[in-house]
């Protein structure tokens, strides 16, 4: 299959005629059952018609993703929520008022019209109203309901640049909309509103502190904060090894000087054993490290920077064929909770505490 590529200028308040036409054509592709990858404020998504079971099946196929892992339905108007959800609790409207459009997904009871192929057979549905102007326009032209997982091959880091979508999806889908680099870089926060108190199933840019300030109290899925938890995560997707680079990754926690000494020692031993070694450091610690490839993920002073760079850094290690990767760890507070969650998954939960 030939994959068409169209470009939209990033950070441009208005679409020009050609961009508008391109997005209209992309919407038609989705309406006819095709697949289009597009930018959102979190990561690139792989969109199909959420109400067409064949589209959802095609999404699973293109990603190589197990079909018990449900998809998020993206909308572009708050009122469209009522078309796919059977009951909208008060708390959902409060959350929507504060965080929509934006990087937050709500789990709600599913309306009968939503095909089981889209929800992995569950009786709940995940809904997100993204803020990215390209995403919103495309959803509108697609008929209002776009199922979209992250646009990576299953198991790989989510794409934050169109280049990585091309790498994973060229030849597998109908079209890719290149809208430049995404702003946030980690997938949306997922909040389950079918339980009391509401529970965070995946941490993201909207933090637990922010949700608590609106709802009073939220729980967090135990599997997110405790890597050794034996429970099965409630978001089916969170049980898979995910976000992972091809190399074997280990996270090291402790006092910065000790961490650097430990990582350098391990990397040196790995290098002698024939591995190509990589290290993820920060502006503050970069010069302490020595390996084949040392990458800076951002400054410890700026968590949003680290979130935006993380998946690209993991992909760059793949590009450079690094086989053994070490990373510093980050504080589990605020946005740091989402950063650590993705790092731990990328590392298959290999964490060394010094
Ligand atoms: O930021 C995002 O959310 C991106 C962009 C493209 O919008 N999308 C995304 O989709 O990350 P995906 O498919 O990669 O992750 C969706 C997660 C999976 O872990 C899935 O198991 C969970 O949402 N999920 C979907 N529906 C659910 C449901 N009804 N109950 C519990 N978890 C659900
Ligand atoms: Mg994903």
């Amino acid at each position: 299959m030939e994959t068409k590529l169209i470009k939209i200028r990033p950070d441009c308040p208005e679409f020009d005629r050609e961009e508008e036409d391109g997005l209209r054509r992309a919407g038609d592709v989705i309406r006819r059952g095709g697949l289009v990858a597009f930018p959102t404020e979190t990561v690139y998504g792989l969109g199909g018609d959420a109400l067409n079971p064949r589209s959802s099946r095609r999404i699973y196929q293109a990603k190589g993703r197990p079909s018990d892992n449900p998809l998020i339905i993206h909308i572009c108007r708050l009122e469209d929520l009522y078309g796919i959800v059977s009951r909208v609790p008060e708390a959902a409207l409060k959350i929507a008022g504060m965080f929509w459009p934006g990087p937050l997904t709500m789990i709600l009871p599913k309306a009968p019209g939503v095909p089981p192929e889209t929800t992995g057979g569950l009786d709940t549905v995940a809904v997100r109203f993204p803020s990215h102007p390209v995403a919103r326009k495309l959803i509108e032209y697609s008929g209002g309901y776009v199922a979209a997982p992250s646009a990576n091959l299953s198991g790989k880091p989510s794409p934050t640049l169109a280049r990585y979508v091309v790498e994973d999806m060229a030849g597998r889908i109908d079209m890719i909309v290149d809208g430049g680099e995404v702003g946030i870089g980690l997938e949306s926060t997922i909040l389950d509103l079918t339980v009391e108190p509401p529970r965070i199933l995946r941490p993201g840019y909207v933090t637990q502190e922010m949700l608590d300030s609106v709802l009073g109290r939220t729980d967090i899925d135990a599997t997110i904060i405790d890597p050794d938890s034996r429970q099965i995560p409630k978001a089916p997707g969170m049980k898979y090894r995910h976000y992972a680079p091809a190399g074997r990754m280990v996270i090291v926690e402790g006092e910065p000087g000790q961490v650097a000494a430990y990582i350098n020692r391990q990397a040196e031993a790995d290098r002698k054993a024939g591995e190509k070694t990589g290290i993820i450091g920060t502006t503050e610690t970069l010069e302490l490290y020595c390996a084949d490839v040392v990458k800076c993920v951002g400054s410890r002073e700026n968590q949003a920077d680290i979130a935006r760079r993380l998946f690209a850094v993991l992909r760059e290690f793949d590009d450079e064929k690094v086989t053994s990767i070490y990373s510093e760890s980050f504080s589990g507070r605020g946005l740091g909770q989402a950063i650590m969650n993705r790092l731990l998954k990328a590392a298959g939960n290999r964490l060394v505490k010094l």
Side-chain angles (χ1 to χ4, degrees):
M1 170 192 299
E2 192 208 335
T3 303
K4 289 209 180 62
L5 183 70
I6 66 169
K7 278 191 198 272
I8 310 283
R9 293 159 304 160
D11 304 321
C12 218
E14 305 265 306
F15 300 120
D16 66 20
R17 185 75 170 277
E18 199 182 323
E19 291 171 330
E20 190 82 37
D21 282 351
L23 289 172
R24 194 175 293 116
R25 273 184 283 122
D28 286 342
V29 168
I30 290 182
R31 280 176 195 267
R32 288 199 301 265
L35 303 185
V36 177
F38 62 98
T40 80
E41 68 276 24
T42 55
V43 298
Y44 273 79
L46 172 55
D49 179 355
L51 304 183
N52 179 349
R54 290 192 49 210
S55 298
S56 293
R57 280 199 294 268
R58 281 197 62 195
I59 291 178
Y60 291 116
Q61 229 170 36
K63 275 182 67 87
R65 167 169 169 155
S67 57
D68 69 341
N69 188 0
L71 306 173
I72 296 175
I73 301 185
H74 295 63
I75 58 176
C76 60
R77 286 173 293 256
L78 181 59
E79 59 269 29
D80 291 343
L81 183 58
Y82 296 88
I84 47 174
V85 164
S86 63
R87 194 177 50 83
V88 179
E90 185 73 35
L93 290 177
K94 273 199 204 161
I95 289 292
M98 275 307 279
F99 303 110
W100 274 4
L104 178 104
T105 297
M106 289 194 251
I107 308 292
L108 293 163
K110 171 180 111 67
V114 181
E117 283 81 357
T118 302
T119 61
L122 297 176
D123 55 7
T124 54
V125 60
V127 193
R128 169 156 127 76
F129 179 173
S131 62
H132 197 294
V134 172
R136 291 171 70 167
K137 198 55 152 190
L138 176 63
I139 296 163
E140 187 191 326
Y141 284 141
S142 304
Y145 296 108
V146 172
S150 48
N152 50 286
L153 284 174
S154 190
K156 291 243 246 161
S158 298
T160 52
L161 290 164
R163 175 156 76 84
Y164 295 128
V165 181
V166 172
E167 213 172 277
D168 282 13
M169 292 297 159
R172 306 173 78 95
I173 63 175
D174 301 276
M175 198 187 254
I176 296 171
V177 181
D178 180 352
E181 188 180 13
V182 300
I184 292 177
L186 300 180
E187 307 84 350
S188 61
T189 307
I190 301 181
L191 183 67
D192 184 355
L193 284 146
T194 66
V195 293
E196 191 41 49
R199 177 173 302 155
I200 296 167
L201 306 186
R202 179 173 74 183
Y205 188 79
V206 175
T207 62
Q208 183 166 28
E209 291 84 344
M210 288 155 81
L211 293 168
D212 284 351
S213 76
V214 178
L215 295 175
R217 188 161 85 90
T218 54
D219 273 349
I220 185 148
D221 192 322
T223 57
I224 288 167
I225 34 185
D226 175 12
D228 299 327
S229 170
R230 297 263 163 87
Q231 286 181 43
I232 295 172
K234 186 139 180 260
M238 299 299 279
K239 72 176 180 255
Y240 299 105
R241 177 157 184 261
H242 210 172
Y243 317 112
R248 176 182 190 274
M249 182 159 141
V250 177
I251 303 166
V252 184
E253 185 180 289
E255 183 272 312
Q258 277 183 325
V259 168
Y262 177 88
I263 287 181
N264 285 337
R265 234 177 13 248
Q266 297 292 321
E268 176 60 16
D270 290 355
R271 208 175 54 76
K272 283 199 177 126
E275 306 269 357
K276 182 161 183 188
T277 56
I279 296 175
I280 301 180
T282 48
T283 317
E284 290 78 4
T285 57
L286 208 63
E287 62 182 22
L288 301 176
Y289 292 116
C290 181
D292 294 317
V293 182
V294 179
K295 298 230 174 250
C296 180
V297 69
S299 162
R300 291 193 160 267
E301 301 288 300
N302 187 343
Q303 288 188 317
D305 229 32
I306 294 174
R308 191 178 323 109
R309 282 271 302 143
L310 181 63
F311 285 148
V313 165
L314 296 180
R315 291 250 181 188
E316 288 165 16
F317 282 123
D318 284 357
D319 296 342
E320 298 181 48
K321 310 239 175 324
V322 170
T323 56
S324 170
I325 306 165
Y326 293 88
S327 175
E328 298 177 7
S329 87
F330 296 91
S331 120
R333 272 192 298 280
L335 186 52
Q337 188 165 63
I339 294 170
M340 270 312 277
N341 170 259
R342 305 309 194 275
L343 262 181
L344 280 165
K345 286 182 129 338
N349 284 333
R350 279 181 290 266
L351 172 68
V352 174
K353 293 186 182 179
L354 297 179

